[in-house]
Amino acid sequence: RSHPLLCEKPFVLVGHSMGGRIAMCYAAKYPNDVSSLVIEDMDIRRRGVKSNFIHFDEERAIAFSRCHETLDSVKKELEGIGYSSDMYTKWIDEGRIYEDKSDGSKYKFWSDVNPAFRALCYRTIFDSSTGTDSWSAIARNLQQKMNSGNEVNSAKVVYLMVAGIGTVCDEQSVENMRQIMSCVQERKYSPLSIKTYAQGTHSI
């Protein structure tokens, strides 16, 4: 919370995919920091480690080093974890794995992709009730603001963006999200806006 970008509060918090679940956790824990919450293609259902569509070596993922001497070294390590060549080639083309040309850099190549993040997310965030707990806490926080007489912005304050193509959102889970947020009383409308982008993929 001491990062310079977090100094001016409240702010709009945006989270995509796994980051969406983490954004929910932050908004639940620090409600006064967040003016609006935007979740991009993520629901609240529990996801076990086995549901991870990338079946990788978890221990190697957690031990992954993001800095390497050669590009081949990055590729070899990602393959050893379980990522396909198509995936890491796409990341290279997108500039997410690149040569580090900064002055004083000890290593030549850097990976913005961090397999350890994915592995630890499944361990601590996905394979738990964190999604439902955080979403419920966000709804309670909104209700408490109203009960205490604090004005809640008349605009929507929570936005859920659902991909129309290849979404990871479960239909029943999205409905659960709607129902939980509908419990916020004393408003003529729900603070939640859900929109499906018909032509949007997971990275809307």
Side-chain angles (χ1 to χ4, degrees):
R1 298 178 71 201
S2 61
H3 192 284
L5 292 176
L6 303 180
C7 290
E8 294 188 19
K9 302 168 184 175
F11 46 74
V12 175
L13 182 60
V14 181
H16 165 251
S17 193
M18 287 184 172
R21 188 66 67 86
I22 296 201
M24 294 179 204
C25 294
Y26 186 97
K29 188 172 183 179
Y30 305 109
N32 293 328
D33 287 4
V34 180
S35 59
S36 290
L37 177 64
V38 182
I39 303 300
E40 185 182 347
D41 212 43
M42 177 50 58
D43 56 24
I44 60 174
R45 68 188 171 97
R46 183 171 188 153
R47 287 175 164 82
V49 174
K50 292 183 179 179
S51 70
N52 188 350
F53 74 93
I54 302 170
H55 300 292
F56 59 26
D57 184 323
E58 187 179 83
E59 296 304 322
R60 288 189 68 170
I62 292 173
F64 177 76
S65 173
R66 299 171 72 185
C67 43
H68 288 259
E69 286 288 343
T70 67
L71 184 58
D72 283 342
S73 173
V74 184
K75 294 178 181 179
K76 183 177 180 181
E77 187 62 26
L78 289 172
E79 283 184 351
I81 292 169
Y83 290 99
S84 68
S85 60
D86 288 343
M87 295 186 75
Y88 64 67
T89 299
K90 179 173 179 286
W91 294 332
I92 293 169
D93 292 342
E94 292 173 343
R96 298 171 68 186
I97 298 173
Y98 55 89
E99 186 175 2
D100 186 354
K101 298 180 180 179
S102 58
D103 292 338
S105 175
K106 182 179 179 181
Y107 298 93
K108 294 183 178 180
F109 288 88
W110 175 261
S111 173
D112 285 341
V113 177
N114 186 3
F117 171 76
R118 186 178 191 89
L120 292 173
C121 265
Y122 269 91
R123 276 191 182 184
T124 62
I125 303 293
F126 273 179
D127 196 5
S128 71
S129 62
T130 301
T132 300
D133 293 345
S134 296
W135 197 254
S136 299
I138 292 167
R140 287 195 303 272
N141 291 335
L142 286 172
Q143 185 68 68
Q144 288 172 4
K145 284 185 179 181
M146 295 175 189
N147 292 344
S148 64
N150 292 336
E151 182 179 352
V152 177
N153 195 315
S154 60
K156 302 292 186 181
V157 292
V158 183
Y159 298 83
L160 174 61
M161 304 164 65
V162 180
I165 302 173
T167 182
V168 302
C169 293
D170 175 77
E171 186 175 341
Q172 183 57 56
S173 184
V174 171
E175 180 57 30
N176 292 343
M177 295 169 80
R178 190 195 311 273
Q179 290 297 322
I180 291 170
M181 204 58 67
S182 69
C183 294
V184 180
Q185 302 298 318
E186 299 182 14
R187 290 187 66 147
K188 294 180 180 178
Y189 45 82
S190 169
L192 172 66
S193 171
I194 301 177
K195 182 174 180 180
T196 298
Y197 292 79
Q199 300 303 314
T201 59
H202 180 53
S203 298
I204 299 172

